Amino acid sequence: MNFKWNYQPPIQEQIEAAKALAREAGISPILGKLLLKRGITSAAEAKRFFRPQLNELHDPFLMKDMSAAVERLNQAMGKKERILVYGDYDVDGVTSVALVYKFILQFYSNIDYYIPDRYEEGYGVSKRGIDYAYETGVKLIIVLDCGIKAVEAIGYAKEKGIDFIICDHHVPDEVLPPAVAILNAKRKDATYPYEHLSGCGVGFKFMQAFASNNGIEFQCLAPLLDLVAVAIASDIVPIMGENRVLAYHGLKQLNSNPSVGLKAIVDICGLQSKEITMNDIVFKIGPRINASGRIQNGKEAVELLIEKDFALALEKANQINAYNETRKDLDKSMTEEATKLVVDKESLNQRRSIVIYNEKWHKGVIGIVASRLMETYYRPAVVLTRTEELATGSARSVIGFDVYKAIESCRDLLENFGGHTYAAGLSMKIENVAEFARRFEAYVAEHIAQEQTSPVLNIDALIDFKDITPKFHADLKKFNPFGPDNHKPVFCTHHVYDYGTSKVVGRNQEHIKLELVDNKSNNVMNGIAFGQSSQARYIKTKRAFDICFTIEENTHKHGEIQLQIEDIRQAETV
């Protein structure tokens, strides 16, 4: 992938402000600049950023309808009504259900949970789910990570005497469902000071409010923060503001005393002897939880997450791991087929988007395939398959382009849609696919900026190897947890050289293990450049080159600093 390197040198005023903040906070001016970029301008703010405290969480009753939601839940428990906790089949959905179910179960036993079948019921609140609730005597459904657009389904439930509390974070339509309470900070009439919670985060706030109202100590709820951290990482929501507090303490819980179910997944992933990061959740823990809903049924993931017996949890985790292996095989074969379809389209170079349809593709993997195409061709991508009489699919987008709005512009062609800026789901009549592809392309072509059509490496700072000291690395680690709005800093060093020992490694000789020096210090820096073996020949010529990289800790040599090289280019001659 040919990255465009984007670096905005600081102006003198910014340099002076970074130095002043760095002196006050006792850190490098380079890191002072990174704090300023995050809107942090004082040592007190830096302290709060580096050590988020749980008492900084917002009052949950600031969220519109929270009092009504707590009152209805209290009423249900007082009348001994049957409660159903209902959620989506992805990571955010199943962690939400596990969290709310586990917490309420400590105080109330007449409670059940439900995850719709991706293949037979589809996304969101289903008629079948409501019928199940009615048949089992449910009077209150708490729906998590979906429901904000389920006007018809919740109306149907109301006719059957079933009330709904919606805990969602997706963008609402103009008309809201007829629920008793709608907890969603993206409502137009929202009163909550933070709008970027995950679905699990909204569920957590609901339980926080319920606990506060009933005199239950916060310490009873805090152990469930590991589930919130998994949801935040997997659903790719911003990790600043309240999400940073939740993710920070959720990661601490995950590393120190995870729930039995998550501990089993951690062991299956081989993470039990290392410090788990958001990256580990995104690439190892999350995909395994997701695989249950993609290949079988998300209910199995909830069963694992609420399990109390470790031996049983390990069995369930092994089963989910097997689903993940199946998912990987499907992912590989479908991505190959999808790539061939894209390449065969002669007009690809002229197009700003990708829309492809194959009625035989596995519905559970199309979101992953859309991500692969987006990453390969750097275009908003929609991948569709057939579900009964409809084309259903997933969309993924490049940085800075709102794919939800692009899909919304075609809403008259759609049966259903929902999602976020960078990921969405949709369904339409099969005969509408061609017109959707045409209209979607027209919208993207008109609204996408030129700089959004090729991958960009945003460089946070130019540094020399002498800057990378143990203290610098220790202070940099305080910026964790990383994620959207708090990305892991990317650094650039000019004019580096092979120390003479760099070599190509990997099963297919696709990576380079590097030992590098620059001309401003005697430091020899270790690095790894994944998938960049084509650069090895130039590196071995002993000529200078420039690198963009993140700073990591070598997991095989504890405490050793390693550069993860994102891109390499020949040094410009001065």
Side-chain angles (χ1 to χ4, degrees), residues 157-447:
K158 197 172 181 182
E159 289 171 8
K160 289 183 168 290
I162 300 170
D163 284 339
F164 261 82
I165 295 170
I166 298 172
C167 303
D168 203 352
H169 68 131
H170 295 96
V171 179
D173 272 340
E174 291 293 329
V175 178
L176 296 175
V180 169
I182 299 174
L183 308 179
N184 186 329
K186 291 191 176 81
R187 288 174 60 161
K188 282 189 176 175
D189 57 352
T191 53
Y192 197 66
Y194 187 76
E195 68 171 342
H196 300 297
L197 292 167
S198 64
C200 191
V202 179
F204 181 85
K205 298 305 294 187
F206 181 24
M207 293 300 95
Q208 185 188 355
F210 169 76
S212 170
N213 181 260
N214 287 279
I216 300 164
E217 291 290 326
F218 185 82
Q219 281 70 24
C220 296
L221 182 60
L224 297 171
L225 281 167
D226 54 2
L227 291 166
V228 184
V230 169
I232 287 171
S234 301
D235 221 52
I236 318 178
V237 290
I239 306 187
M240 288 294 279
E242 190 165 37
N243 275 344
R244 179 169 175 82
V245 181
L246 294 167
Y248 179 89
H249 288 278
L251 270 181
K252 280 179 73 172
Q253 184 73 31
L254 189 60
N255 278 288
S256 62
N257 189 23
S259 65
V260 170
L262 283 176
K263 174 73 169 73
I265 300 174
V266 165
D267 285 13
I268 288 294
C269 295
L271 295 171
Q272 61 269 53
S273 58
K274 73 178 288 282
E275 184 179 354
I276 298 164
T277 64
M278 298 301 264
N279 243 27
D280 293 320
I281 296 172
V282 171
F283 293 107
K284 295 183 178 180
I285 295 171
R288 284 167 171 82
I289 297 173
N290 246 339
S292 178
R294 292 186 188 282
I295 305 301
Q296 198 62 34
N297 189 298
K299 191 169 185 180
E300 290 187 40
V302 178
E303 288 171 3
L304 167 59
L305 294 175
I306 64 173
E307 181 56 64
K308 294 177 182 175
D309 182 287
F310 186 70
L312 290 175
L314 215 47
E315 281 180 29
K316 290 173 175 148
N318 273 303
Q319 180 59 67
I320 278 173
N321 196 52
Y323 293 150
N324 194 48
E325 292 303 311
T326 303
R327 188 273 305 166
K328 285 196 277 191
D329 291 341
L330 283 167
D331 170 8
K332 185 173 183 294
S333 62
M334 280 172 55
T335 299
E336 287 170 358
E337 289 175 22
T339 302
K340 187 176 187 309
L341 261 180
V342 171
V343 170
D344 287 348
K345 283 182 182 283
E346 291 180 6
S347 61
L348 174 65
N349 288 335
Q350 284 75 49
R351 296 180 71 82
R352 294 297 194 199
S353 68
I354 294 169
V355 179
I356 53 175
Y357 168 71
N358 184 325
E359 66 175 22
K360 294 180 180 175
W361 280 340
H362 194 285
K363 187 181 176 186
V365 188
I366 51 178
I368 300 172
V369 175
S371 291
R372 301 264 190 263
L373 294 177
M374 181 274 293
E375 290 163 2
T376 302
Y377 297 103
Y378 222 72
R379 293 164 170 79
V382 180
V383 179
L384 300 159
T385 188
R386 182 170 181 153
T387 305
E388 295 178 348
E389 299 310 308
L390 294 177
T392 61
S394 290
R396 298 292 184 270
S397 190
V398 298
I399 296 296
F401 183 78
D402 192 333
V403 77
Y404 179 87
K405 284 186 179 173
I407 291 168
E408 189 178 39
S409 73
C410 308
R411 67 183 304 155
D412 56 301
L413 299 171
L414 306 176
E415 298 299 304
N416 201 2
F417 72 100
H420 312 288
T421 302
Y422 296 122
L426 66 164
S427 64
M428 69 193 79
K429 290 174 181 169
I430 291 164
E431 58 265 30
N432 286 348
V433 170
E435 178 62 10
F436 171 81
R438 187 191 71 77
R439 294 243 309 262
F440 183 79
E441 166 65 19
Y443 182 95
V444 174
E446 183 181 347
H447 292 88

Side-chain angles (χ1 to χ4, degrees), residues 57-111:
L57 292 173
H58 298 305
D59 177 354
F61 286 100
L62 293 174
M63 192 175 290
K64 192 165 183 64
D65 281 4
M66 186 62 83
S67 293
V70 171
E71 185 181 333
R72 182 62 185 91
L73 178 55
N74 284 339
Q75 182 188 77
M77 294 168 75
K79 290 183 174 179
K80 296 188 167 42
E81 292 176 347
R82 188 153 182 78
I83 299 168
L84 183 69
V85 185
Y86 187 116
D88 188 22
Y89 37 65
D90 69 0
V91 179
D92 195 10
V94 299
T95 52
S96 303
V97 169
L99 185 149
V100 171
Y101 178 82
K102 282 175 78 171
F103 189 67
I104 295 176
L105 192 63
Q106 294 178 71
F107 315 102
Y108 188 73
S109 60
N110 195 12
I111 185 168

